[in-house]
Amino acid sequence: MPSDQTPKGAAPRRTPARAASVVTPAPAAIVAPASSGLAGNSPWAYAPAPESREIVTIRQRYGLFIDGKERAPSGGEVTITYNPATEEPLAEIAKGTPADADRAIEAADRAYRKVWSKLHPRERAKYLYRISRILQERSREFAVTETMDSGKPIRESRDVDVPLAAAHFWYYAGWADKLQYAVPGRRPEAHGVVGQVIPWNFPLLMLAWKIAPALAAGNTVVLKPASTTPLTALLFADVCRQAELPDGVVNIVTGPGSTGMSIVTDPRVAKVAFTGSTSVGVTIAKGIAGQGKGLTLELGGKAANIVFEDAALDQAVEGVVNGIFFNQGEVCCAGSRLLVQESIAEEFLARLRDRMSMLRIGDPMDKNTDIGAINSKAQMESIGELVASGVAEGAQIWQPACDLPTRGWFFRPTLFTNVAQSHRIAREEIFGPVLATITFRTVAEAIEKANNTAYGLSAGIWTEKGSRILQVASALKAGVVWANTFNRFDPTAPFGGYKESGYGREGGMQGLHAYLRSS
Ligand code: TAP
């Protein structure tokens, strides 16, 4: 439900209606059996292995986190966050207003001038180390909360999102008292108050990507989480209290996009960081144009995962599956275009279909689940609409014959072949478990097709030849290029895009630069 439509003081709905139109389109004509017949065979069935949710206490209502305290929203309104795997309401969330954004910025400004900028950098580092340790200590609680709120498999929130979030705080803690080495020969200075707006696909991890370097560089923060996934950010507020972070250094304002806009356009906010859709990124860039603020935009992507004929095929199949089905494909750097060399296309696609037939789709809280729930009904509809356009434009669709849960927002892993570069599924970011296959004959053609996109965030190369990796990687217009792997993230490595994927880098020393002014 768009947050703007939530009635004042509304109680959580118990059973939101499920529109028939959001069900994965799976008419018999488009669902083919797996080529080897492995799908559905009992030897591959797993016993249920549900993670317990006992470790988490989700309160009925959450306020805003401003100046170290929980506050009611000035308008008195709330929105509801749902579990996308069950469609059950989880909690009422404060609907922050521009007045609340103003209060949070005032608190961050005061904390910057009076406390945070006065601390010795070594002392700032101690808080970051402390936050990292607490995230590790409370990792199960964070993983379960993240999975319940976002729909991502517990295996991923447990093994990827939470450990990486802790690692980002640890890594940037190390930088806090070494900033002069990040900008040699110049004097590093913090911006002051930074405004950050994050999306719903990696709620805690995006928070860590933003808050850790900002604090290490000496800034204070006002952050707005996405409306469908506020819970781990609000749990993080508790971590800030536990770490005894000075009041106002981190402020978390939940609310709609318009509240995010109030934060980023406020004149006291000196630096803005946004991750999300290209359209909102453009709106933000226009909204702050001429104000002299620093801006980093991490937007969408349409990455090519290129498989050459000499690649280790089974390894490449795993990489392609990971590239597009990790986090249900709701990943800005997802390998959503498979570019496969024509000479091996048939065999590769047969192996890929077999592997896809063994993916387990369902309860995200089950430790064996590979593909969890789509984050929201709106996203489900958006994926369905783009998949329907692929069929209408003449691409061939294939989905494994798997059962989906009867409740919740689930989408079958989907493979398109016979895709033309002009098809919408080859050009637009689907942000779902949908792979569009395009073939190529030569290295030059692979590069040409991979770069034929408005985006430029990431790419993958699969080949045994080191020289080909170097040749292709240097010709690809993508901020991140993985070779014989995909979706590898590390706090020390910069991440960011070209073209409509945005500008600026997050992660590594480069990610620190964005939070520093240097004279
Ligand atoms: P966005 O609308 O871009 O939302 C991202 C964040 O921006 C959310 O916190 C959102 O708040 C906020 N926001 C929305 N409008 C804003 C405005 N005018 N000013 C300031 N902040 C604003 O993404 P979405 O609607 O969640 O997803 C739409 C599409 O974006 C997806 O289908 C996907 O293609 C893409 N997407 C990309 C990424 C990455 S990492 N590249 C991440 C998420 C989505 P609310 O949640 O309250 O609306």
Side-chain angles (χ1 to χ4, degrees):
M1 178 190 293
S3 47
D4 282 329
Q5 290 174 18
T6 308
K8 187 172 176 172
R13 281 190 294 144
R14 285 290 143 204
T15 49
R18 187 172 180 224
S21 62
V22 302
V23 176
T24 303
I30 61 170
V31 179
S35 57
S36 74
L38 290 174
N41 272 4
S42 55
W44 300 100
Y46 280 60
E51 172 66 77
S52 167
R53 56 172 287 181
E54 295 299 306
I55 194 159
V56 165
T57 308
I58 296 180
R59 288 154 40 192
Q60 201 196 339
R61 183 177 282 214
Y62 289 85
L64 309 162
F65 182 59
I66 297 177
D67 209 11
K69 289 160 207 73
E70 183 167 349
R71 298 189 189 259
S74 61
E77 295 185 49
V78 296
T79 59
I80 295 156
T81 185
Y82 291 92
N83 181 337
T86 60
E87 301 176 46
E88 284 166 349
L90 290 171
E92 294 175 347
I93 305 296
K95 185 174 169 186
T97 63
D100 295 317
D102 177 71
R103 206 167 301 151
I105 294 165
E106 193 181 306
D109 188 38
R110 193 171 45 243
Y112 174 71
R113 285 184 288 103
K114 301 206 165 156
V115 185
W116 201 239
S117 60
K118 304 256 190 297
L119 275 186
H120 192 283
R122 247 194 335 264
E123 296 303 311
R124 286 205 307 268
K126 284 185 193 167
Y127 286 106
L128 292 175
Y129 281 124
R130 212 181 275 176
I131 289 171
S132 178
R133 284 215 178 87
I134 296 170
L135 284 176
Q136 290 170 67
E137 282 160 12
R138 297 177 66 175
S139 61
R140 252 187 86 208
E141 189 184 352
F142 269 95
V144 171
T145 307
E146 194 74 306
T147 285
M148 288 175 70
D149 206 20
S150 72
K152 66 174 65 207
I154 187 74
R155 198 158 46 85
E156 293 179 6
S157 47
R158 182 196 64 193
D159 297 349
V160 181
D161 297 58
V162 179
L164 269 178
H168 270 80
F169 279 98
W170 196 264
Y171 170 73
Y172 281 111
W175 270 115
D177 61 351
K178 303 172 193 69
L179 297 177
Q180 68 274 27
Y181 300 107
V183 284
R186 288 179 290 163
R187 205 160 56 90
E189 274 177 81
H191 287 279
V193 180
V194 303
Q196 306 177 323
V197 178
I198 57 170
W200 43 260
N201 54 345
F202 291 92
L204 178 69
L205 186 57
M206 289 301 105
L207 173 150
W209 278 27
K210 301 247 175 317
I211 293 185
L215 297 193
N219 304 279
T220 57
V221 167
V222 179
L223 176 135
K224 191 198 94 64
S227 291
T228 58
T229 53
L231 288 183
T232 44
L234 296 167
L235 197 55
F236 182 80
D238 197 41
V239 170
C240 294
R241 278 189 290 252
Q242 196 181 337
E244 296 176 6
L245 192 69
D247 291 349
V249 171
V250 168
N251 303 273
I252 295 176
V253 180
T254 47
S258 50
T259 302
M261 199 46 133
S262 303
I263 295 170
V264 298
T265 51
D266 190 288
R268 290 164 294 177
V269 169
K271 144 90 190 143
V272 172
F274 171 76
T275 297
S277 62
T278 300
S279 58
V280 172
V282 169
T283 307
I284 287 178
K286 284 183 184 161
I288 66 171
Q291 293 185 10
K293 296 178 198 267
L295 174 64
T296 40
L297 294 175
E298 204 271 272
L299 309 176
K302 193 73 191 173
N305 214 349
I306 311 170
V307 182
F308 289 97
E309 60 189 0
D310 65 337
L313 290 197
D314 287 332
Q315 188 188 339
V317 165
E318 283 307 313
V320 167
V321 164
N322 169 276
I324 185 60
F325 301 122
F326 173 61
N327 202 37
Q328 298 74 242
E330 296 166 322
V331 183
C332 46
C333 55
S336 52
R337 286 183 301 149
L338 165 63
L339 265 60
V340 59
Q341 198 149 14
E342 203 174 274
S343 50
I344 54 156
E346 200 176 319
E347 185 186 351
F348 188 81
L349 289 170
R351 292 192 198 196
L352 181 59
R353 287 191 190 100
D354 283 345
R355 181 66 183 88
M356 284 174 65
S357 302
M358 284 183 274
L359 291 171
R360 290 174 296 273
I361 300 118
D363 181 7
M365 289 288 280
D366 191 307
K367 292 167 202 156
N368 292 323
T369 292
D370 296 308
I371 301 183
I374 300 301
N375 183 254
S376 65
K377 185 178 159 203
Q379 187 59 19
M380 201 50 202
E381 287 170 344
S382 163
I383 298 168
E385 194 265 318
L386 273 158
V387 166
S389 83
V391 175
E393 289 186 316
Q396 197 170 347
I397 188 171
W398 183 89
Q399 295 172 320
C402 55
D403 291 331
L404 297 185
T406 50
R407 293 191 69 197
W409 300 309
F410 291 91
F411 204 96
R412 279 190 176 77
T414 301
L415 174 68
F416 275 106
T417 49
N418 291 346
V419 178
Q421 292 198 82
S422 57
H423 290 166
R424 285 182 65 199
I425 54 168
R427 290 183 290 114
E428 295 180 31
E429 186 179 43
I430 300 176
F431 230 63
V434 182
L435 181 62
T437 309
I438 296 168
T439 57
F440 67 88
R441 288 184 186 170
T442 63
V443 173
E445 189 186 346
I447 293 168
E448 175 94 24
K449 286 183 168 172
N451 284 338
N452 184 12
T453 169
Y455 295 105
L457 190 55
S458 66
I461 304 169
W462 297 86
T463 173
E464 292 280 271
K465 260 185 119 169
S467 59
R468 182 172 293 153
I469 290 172
L470 294 175
Q471 178 198 2
V472 176
S474 51
L476 291 176
K477 288 275 171 286
V480 179
V481 181
W482 287 290
N484 294 327
T485 187
F486 207 90
N487 276 339
R488 290 265 169 194
F489 304 100
D490 192 286
T492 64
F495 183 91
Y498 286 93
K499 301 192 279 185
E500 287 188 21
S501 293
Y503 43 79
R505 294 292 178 263
E506 292 187 307
M509 193 173 66
Q510 292 80 357
L512 200 60
H513 290 163
Y515 289 98
L516 290 171
R517 282 181 301 177
S518 35
S519 46

